[in-house]
Amino acid sequence: MSETTPFQIPTTGDLHWFKVPPKVFFEPFSIRYLAELKDLSKIFIVSDRMVYKLGYVERIMEILKRRRNQVEIEIYIDVPIEPTTKAITEALNVINTFNPDNIIAIGGGSVMCVAKIMWMLYEHPEIKIKDIPTQFVNIKENVFNGPEVGEKARLICVPTTSGTGCEVSPFCILVDEKTNTTYPIAHYNLIPSVAIIDPEFTYTVPKRTFADNGFDMLSHSIEAYISTYANDYSNGMCLEALQLIFKNLVNGYNGCSCARAVLHNASTIAGMAHGNAYLGLVHALAYKIANHFHIHHGRVAGILLPHIIRYNAKAPVEGQSQLKKYDIMERFSKICDRTGLNPGNNASESLASECELLLKGTESATGFAQCGIDEKEWKDAIHNIAITALESQYSNYNPKKATVTEL
Ligand SMILES: [Fe+2]
């Protein structure tokens, strides 16, 4: 039988996967499922002071008290704005004393990142926090192997902001506050056990943060769709998320609760997609730039996105490899087709322009000077940023191999 017979399923020879949390609840007031979930008796709630002040931790405790069984609750609300080793160590001390059967992380990306790493260390005291950045880095090596989690406790994530997709992904960030270094962590055993996507928690998010998070999820959807690991499962999710984001980002920024509710789902859908298809150059650079200049990750991603769409659309120069076999322009055309954008005679340009329109519609920065970065400081830093971005594993999933100079 010929290899090209239409009856043969094409295969890359690699084993592929699609991993998401076993339970995802989504709708307004879906937090009420905490009153119904089985097997909750000792619950450790992780959050931050802002979320606590908004009364969200209290709301969860009220729901837990409606349960038929009596529950014991311990809380840790000192997660800082970044998921530092200090916060993880502190939370770990509390959790080890309390010994819960469930962890509820309610908050934004930082809270969920702290909870994920703490969950792993709670179940595996033999793992040292200093070893996490080296042990849990290469995502492809961490699909099937590594320490199992979930035997002592489940991790239930309740995002109060949209954007990161951390509640359904194998990714998190660890910040070493002593060296000011951000480590992207990736392991499929860090996928939470339950995600509750309740938009009621997102209506109080300030509009600037909302817009920044919006560009984070937008870049997740586009990057996962053109990634070298894009697959039939993630592709549909990317296109659906993109359609929802294009239609609702500006309205959500202007305070429309319905639009914000839709985007809360879009964020999680994009999180499932990029958790399995990975990301590209926008994220390779965004993590480094955001960390160096202390700018919101999503804001950096939004600024970079149109430029990297245009870069990826250009044919590779001599000696430069196009890593994905598909036609990149066909990918961009499909995005236009699905989201109702007029591709004109250049789908990548239409998509990049639409991203710029969304930046304008949300009064977002379109360049780094607008983020208050000093030009000299930028020039001094950018070469090293380009080198470390190129070394980042996200560069490997971009459809085109970049050079330091291009970055
Ligand atoms: Fe991101």
Side-chain angles (χ1 to χ4, degrees):
M1 191 185 283
S2 149
E3 270 189 20
T4 53
T5 170
F7 300 107
Q8 196 170 44
I9 299 168
T11 174
T12 60
D14 291 335
L15 191 55
H16 287 277
W17 61 88
F18 192 82
K19 295 190 175 195
V20 292
K23 287 190 174 71
V24 179
F25 300 103
F26 58 94
E27 64 181 341
F29 306 106
S30 50
I31 196 67
R32 70 181 187 276
Y33 290 116
L34 285 176
E36 308 294 332
L37 272 177
K38 287 181 180 165
D39 303 322
L40 279 90
S41 57
K42 286 189 87 172
I43 300 140
F44 186 59
I45 301 177
V46 184
S47 193
D48 62 35
R49 296 257 163 197
M50 179 68 81
V51 169
Y52 184 80
K53 272 189 200 155
L54 288 166
Y56 295 163
V57 173
E58 191 62 37
R59 193 182 298 175
I60 284 189
M61 287 163 74
E62 280 167 20
I63 290 165
L64 290 170
K65 281 171 192 162
R66 286 186 220 153
R67 293 179 61 82
R68 287 185 191 153
N69 65 312
Q70 279 233 322
V71 293
E72 276 183 73
I73 301 169
E74 180 68 77
I75 62 172
Y76 176 83
I77 54 164
D78 285 328
V79 175
I81 201 155
E82 290 187 315
T84 58
T85 52
K86 182 171 176 275
I88 293 164
T89 309
E90 278 178 12
L92 195 60
N93 287 337
V94 184
I95 198 175
N96 281 336
T97 311
F98 182 58
N99 207 19
D101 54 29
N102 278 271
I103 302 162
I104 299 176
I106 173 155
S110 182
V111 166
M112 291 187 281
C113 290
V114 164
K116 281 179 167 184
I117 297 173
M118 184 199 64
W119 183 37
M120 174 73 84
L121 297 174
Y122 169 56
E123 302 235 350
H124 291 278
E126 74 280 6
I127 298 173
K128 303 296 166 219
I129 194 164
K130 67 176 176 53
D131 297 328
I132 295 266
T134 48
Q135 267 190 27
F136 300 100
V137 174
N138 190 331
I139 186 68
K140 277 165 69 184
E141 285 176 10
N142 293 333
V143 178
F144 304 106
N145 305 319
E148 293 287 337
V149 281
E151 281 182 20
K152 281 167 80 174
R154 285 186 304 195
L155 174 61
I156 301 168
C157 281
V158 186
T160 55
T161 56
S162 314
T164 67
C166 194
E167 67 280 2
V168 290
S169 82
F171 304 124
C172 58
I173 296 291
L174 174 64
V175 176
D176 183 339
E177 67 278 4
K178 286 182 193 144
T179 58
N180 189 30
T181 312
T182 299
Y183 297 102
I185 308 297
H187 200 296
Y188 278 92
N189 292 349
L190 290 173
I191 292 178
S193 324
V194 180
I196 300 180
I197 317 303
D198 186 340
E200 293 294 314
F201 293 115
T202 67
Y203 304 148
T204 51
V205 173
K207 61 194 299 193
R208 181 78 270 130
T209 309
F210 176 84
D212 290 342
N213 291 336
F215 285 98
D216 194 18
M217 69 175 95
L218 177 64
S219 60
H220 292 164
S221 312
I222 293 176
E223 292 220 281
Y225 191 65
I226 61 170
S227 156
T228 56
Y229 260 72
N231 58 70
D232 290 348
Y233 296 82
S234 58
N235 286 343
M237 300 188 116
C238 292
L239 291 174
E240 185 62 21
L242 278 169
Q243 187 171 235
L244 298 175
I245 295 165
F246 281 145
K247 276 188 187 158
N248 293 284
L249 182 56
V250 174
N251 286 342
Y253 174 72
N254 290 324
C256 170
S257 300
C258 290
R260 286 191 170 210
V262 170
L263 282 196
H264 208 37
N265 283 338
S267 167
T268 299
I269 295 168
M272 289 179 177
H274 87 77
N276 289 279
Y278 312 145
L279 298 164
L281 282 185
V282 170
H283 275 76
L285 281 166
Y287 278 121
K288 307 297 174 190
I289 294 171
N291 178 238
H292 188 90
F293 294 104
H294 301 287
I295 310 170
H296 191 291
H297 164 79
R299 191 172 309 168
V300 178
I303 293 170
L304 293 171
L305 189 56
H307 299 284
I308 291 180
I309 290 170
R310 291 184 177 110
Y311 166 77
N312 277 327
K314 277 190 206 148
V317 294
E318 203 179 328
Q320 185 178 37
S321 54
Q322 188 98 29
L323 298 172
K324 189 75 181 177
K325 291 186 192 76
Y326 59 67
D327 178 349
I328 188 77
M329 292 310 284
E330 189 198 326
R331 289 260 125 178
F332 289 137
S333 295
K334 272 193 181 169
I335 291 177
C336 290
D337 186 39
R338 179 64 183 265
T339 57
L341 288 181
N342 180 356
N345 54 11
N346 186 334
S348 64
E349 188 51 42
S350 298
L351 181 59
S353 299
E354 183 64 18
C355 293
E356 286 167 341
L357 275 178
L358 290 175
L359 286 170
K360 200 173 169 195
T362 54
E363 302 165 285
S364 300
T366 54
F368 291 110
Q370 290 168 29
C371 299
I373 299 175
D374 174 72
E375 191 177 346
K376 182 175 181 312
E377 203 188 327
W378 173 265
K379 284 181 176 166
D380 288 347
I382 203 66
H383 183 68
N384 276 341
I385 286 176
I387 289 172
T388 53
L390 197 59
E391 288 167 354
S392 140
Q393 59 181 323
Y394 291 119
S395 296
N396 298 331
Y397 310 126
N398 195 69
K400 195 162 89 178
K401 188 84 183 155
T403 64
V404 171
T405 310
E406 287 174 323
L407 286 181

